[in-house]
Amino acid sequence: MQFCAKARFIKYSPFKLRPFADVIRGKNAQFALNWLATHASQRTEPVAKVLKSAVANAKQQGKCEPTELYIKDLRVDQGPM
């Protein structure tokens, strides 16, 4: 099953958020949440918030645990100017 979460109108540049997305893409959701929690940067907050939302969606819809989930796709695109 696939679960989706989106965040819009984030006040950080996509160029500054993409390195965090590149690190956790393809990893276990629990590993990604732990890695984002230990990284000392405020820029990790929006990425962690979206990931937590996707994990919550998975728990609600599919009864899956974070240890069973993997990040298939994570995109950071340009927003409105």
Side-chain angles (χ1 to χ4, degrees):
M1 293 181 117
Q2 293 183 5
F3 304 99
C4 181
K6 294 180 183 179
R8 298 179 65 193
F9 305 109
I10 296 174
K11 298 296 181 185
Y12 292 103
S13 168
F15 298 104
K16 294 181 179 180
L17 293 178
R18 281 189 191 122
F20 299 116
D22 292 339
V23 169
I24 63 173
R25 188 178 295 121
K27 302 282 193 313
N28 184 328
Q30 188 64 42
F31 170 81
L33 286 171
N34 291 340
W35 187 85
L36 290 170
T38 58
H39 198 277
S41 176
Q42 290 185 351
R43 291 179 286 161
T44 60
E45 291 176 7
V47 179
K49 188 174 179 180
V50 171
L51 185 55
K52 287 178 186 177
S53 176
V55 169
N57 290 343
K59 283 183 180 179
Q60 182 70 26
Q61 295 174 6
K63 312 297 190 273
C64 296
E65 295 298 319
T67 56
E68 301 171 359
L69 299 174
Y70 287 89
I71 301 168
K72 179 181 176 183
D73 186 28
L74 180 62
R75 288 182 281 171
V76 180
D77 295 331
Q78 186 74 30
M81 300 298 263

